Amino acid sequence: MRRVAFSPYLLAVALTPVFLQTGTPLSCVSGDTTLMEFALIVDGEDQIGDFDSGQPNYAVSLPWGSAEALVHAIPTDPQARVFVDVVRDDERVRYQDGAVGGGDITVPLAQGSTNTLEVRVIPPGAAYGVYGVDIQVGGPACTEQGLRDAIAAGGTQVFDCDTPIVTSSLISISNDVKLDGQGTLVVSGDNDHSVFRVSYATVELRGMTITEGAPYPLAQGTAVFVYGGDLTLVDSTLSDNYRGAMGSNSATLTVWNSVITRNTDAYGGGGIALYGSSLTISDSIVSDNTSEWYAGIGIGNEPDGPPSTATIIRTLVTGNETTVGGAAGIGVPSDTDNSATIIDSTISYNRSVQSDGGIRVGGEVTVVGSTIVGNEAAFNSGGLGTGLHGTLYLINSTVSANHAAGSGGGLGLVPGSSAFVVNTTFTDNTASGGTQLSSFGTLDIASSLVVGDCSFLGPVPVVTNTVEGIPTGNPFVSTCLGSVVAWDTDVGLGPLQDNGGPSETHALLAGSVAIDVIPEAECVDADGEPLSTDQRGFQRDTMCDAGAFEVQP
């Protein structure tokens, strides 16, 4: 059987490359040795397509894990006999033995090896023609070269690897490709170099672990760096990389159901570092990363470059720590146009050796339905802190048990910044050198519950709708409408726990002074729109409860 090269023109329909190479039908003796109909059917789909016996060269692809194929072979001469053999590992197995007029036959396919399908047409004149199909069922080779070849081929590439691929140098990706590791693929930079660099391409990395990346040879040496492209990370882990896990410049990043953990960086963004890029991360964990600044997620831009935007949904940012500066959990640099929206997430137990343990608010940051708990700052602003010209919108959220060595254990504002706080619960936040709320900027707080030390407002009793007794001479501007402010901690507040919804909350206990105290007209968000649900997503009553939790009927 003579094999001939081919130029593929049939679009691949699934995952694993399959090469169909047909020999030129022989007709040197009387009788027609061609096929009139030829199809290779897998999962109900013909993988060959428009068969033409005069154009015998095709390229197709089979779905990953295909266990069998239906061979449909009808000879042009109805009296011709059709034989179907499969050759694998130098062993030939016959599945159709000379059926007159051909027909359909099912053949099994061996995973991870080449299955050579031979269809022989023998007319009454005894000459024969052969159609051959080489079918590789299984992913690319589990080697560095196999990985590089899969990337070069593009399309969807599925790996079935039970041993790590340790790379010898950085792998550059400049064409569109989807790499699916099925949860078992591990790619290592061998603590010597970055692992992947994506440039102006659309890439998906799925079901893999990327580890042991180091900064060489890139100045921007994160394990995965994206420049001018789109990267989607799904069901994957980035761990134990030196100089950060993921970085980008002028790129779009999407992260879903992934873990970014135990990465370190000498500068900023141990977990994720954005420069003039956009990020959407959901249902993920960013934990235990360290860097000089912005240990968990850093949202910045190059000087005079475009701003970054981040949307963080149902994500846990926890245990991250800075070694020189601030913003241990999520950081937006001061006096910038960068922005972040944080929804239904938990920012917990991050530690800053400077200020802003949980979240730094430079640019504009919106926090909705989220819990900020247990964060620490060696200076000011344990839970959240603003930077110069920063604007914070804090809605339907819980700020609990954060600590600052200076002031602003829960929330701290610097001059030139502002915060708009709606239906948020502050409790158990401490500050060794000040109070749980500290504002040298503009603070508007409405329909919220502040329990414990709120001395910047003065030692006032529980108040509904209007805060009175603000001491004169405070170096901040404060507007507190529709709030319950409690100097006494005995307001009927339960412990922080799972009360339903995506993040933990403090429930209002029976008889709490915060129940049904906010008139409907004042139960609104920062834009004045009705606030219909609490932090958990549960319906609010016409008379709202103060803070993040709404007691249900």
Side-chain angles (χ1 to χ4, degrees):
M1 177 171 63
R2 182 169 66 88
R3 300 293 186 190
V4 296
F6 60 88
S7 299
Y9 60 85
L10 181 64
L11 178 67
V13 297
L15 303 180
T16 304
V18 177
F19 304 103
L20 168 61
Q21 298 178 313
T22 70
T24 303
L26 304 178
S27 56
C28 55
V29 184
S30 61
D32 193 330
T33 64
T34 64
L35 287 172
M36 179 174 64
E37 298 177 15
F38 187 30
L40 182 70
I41 300 173
V42 178
D43 294 333
E45 289 193 41
D46 181 7
Q47 305 297 312
I48 293 176
D50 297 328
F51 171 69
D52 182 350
S53 61
Q55 297 289 332
N57 305 315
Y58 299 88
V60 299
S61 66
L62 282 185
W64 173 268
S66 300
E68 62 183 22
L70 176 67
V71 180
H72 173 76
I74 305 298
T76 304
D77 184 343
Q79 299 303 312
R81 293 180 297 154
V82 176
F83 296 79
V84 177
D85 294 353
V86 174
V87 181
R88 64 175 70 94
D89 299 328
D90 297 324
E91 180 182 358
R92 179 184 296 273
V93 178
R94 177 154 292 172
Y95 290 94
Q96 189 170 79
D97 191 9
V100 176
D104 295 343
I105 186 70
T106 298
V107 299
L109 302 174
Q111 304 294 303
S113 63
T114 300
N115 304 256
T116 300
L117 175 68
E118 292 184 354
V119 180
R120 296 175 181 268
V121 181
I122 303 180
Y128 69 89
V130 179
Y131 291 82
V133 186
D134 289 338
I135 307 171
Q136 177 69 34
V137 181
C142 296
T143 63
E144 179 180 356
Q145 190 59 52
L147 177 58
R148 292 181 182 273
D149 290 345
I151 291 170
T156 298
Q157 303 290 334
V158 182
F159 291 79
D160 186 14
C161 301
D162 55 11
T163 58
I165 296 177
V166 180
T167 58
S168 61
S169 61
L170 170 72
I171 296 177
S172 296
I173 306 177
S174 57
N175 59 299
D176 296 351
V177 67
K178 174 182 175 180
L179 305 177
D180 187 347
Q182 298 193 105
T184 61
L185 177 63
V186 177
V187 184
S188 168
D190 202 24
N191 292 312
D192 176 73
H193 51 269
S194 301
V195 181
F196 293 118
R197 180 184 174 95
V198 177
S199 301
Y200 298 102
T202 299
V203 175
E204 180 176 316
L205 305 177
R206 177 183 290 268
M208 66 179 65
T209 295
I210 301 170
T211 188
E212 298 176 340
Y216 182 82
L218 302 176
Q220 299 160 318
T222 54
V224 179
F225 192 84
V226 187
Y227 189 90
D230 294 354
L231 174 67
T232 299
L233 184 75
V234 182
D235 297 335
S236 293
T237 298
L238 273 64
S239 65
D240 302 295
N241 296 286
Y242 171 65
R243 190 63 198 278
M246 178 183 292
S248 66
N249 194 322
S250 303
T252 300
L253 305 181
T254 303
V255 179
W256 182 73
N257 199 38
S258 294
V259 177
I260 300 173
T261 187
R262 300 191 308 275
N263 303 284
T264 61
D265 182 41
Y267 298 99
I272 300 175
L274 303 179
Y275 297 92
S277 300
S278 68
L279 165 70
T280 300
I281 180 171
S282 59
D283 302 291
S284 295
I285 298 173
V286 181
S287 68
D288 302 309
N289 303 287
T290 61
S291 68
E292 291 186 354
W293 300 76
Y294 311 118
I297 302 175
I299 305 163
N301 61 306
E302 299 284 3
D304 301 320
S308 290
T309 62
T311 302
I312 300 165
I313 306 170
R314 295 183 304 277
T315 290
L316 173 64
V317 181
T318 187
N320 302 286
E321 185 170 346
T322 61
T323 59
V324 173
I330 299 170
V332 179
S334 300
D335 201 20
T336 66
D337 292 327
N338 302 295
S339 62
T341 300
I342 303 167
I343 303 171
D344 295 342
S345 295
T346 298
I347 317 301
S348 63
Y349 306 104
N350 302 286
R351 184 177 184 276
S352 168
V353 298
Q354 199 184 73
S355 296
D356 311 326
I359 301 173
R360 167 166 290 177
V361 180
E364 183 176 301
V365 175
T366 300
V367 181
V368 180
S370 297
T371 294
I372 297 92
V373 58
N375 302 284
E376 296 183 24
F379 290 0
N380 301 319
S381 309
L384 305 95
T386 60
L388 180 63
H389 298 154
T391 301
L392 169 66
Y393 296 92
L394 183 59
I395 303 168
N396 260 351
S397 294
T398 298
V399 182
S400 177
N402 301 282
H403 177 74
S407 63
L411 169 65
L413 275 64
V414 302
S417 67
S418 59
F420 302 87
V421 180
V422 179
N423 275 103
T424 290
T425 298
F426 292 89
T427 185
D428 298 326
N429 301 289
T430 58
S432 299
T435 59
Q436 73 167 324
L437 299 178
S438 173
S439 176
F440 293 86
T442 300
L443 174 63
D444 292 341
I445 179 169
S447 305
S448 294
L449 177 61
V450 183
V451 182
D453 181 3
C454 50
S455 58
F456 84 94
L457 294 174
V460 297
V462 175
V463 181
T464 301
N465 295 335
T466 303
V467 174
E468 299 174 350
I470 300 175
T472 60
N474 271 14
F476 64 89
V477 178
S478 178
T479 304
C480 298
L481 299 178
S483 294
V484 171
V485 178
W487 176 250
D488 187 346
T489 58
D490 186 16
V491 295
L493 196 65
L496 187 69
Q497 63 183 23
D498 182 1
N499 294 304
S503 53
E504 293 185 338
T505 53
H506 290 279
L508 297 178
L509 305 179
S512 171
V513 296
I515 296 174
D516 292 341
V517 293
I518 309 300
E520 182 178 10
E522 294 177 9
C523 190
V524 294
D525 62 18
D527 296 322
E529 297 297 324
L531 198 60
S532 59
T533 62
D534 68 1
Q535 176 174 337
R536 304 166 298 161
F538 292 12
Q539 190 72 30
R540 285 197 180 270
D541 294 337
T542 301
M543 285 288 290
C544 288
D545 299 343
F549 186 94
E550 185 78 16
V551 175
Q552 299 299 295

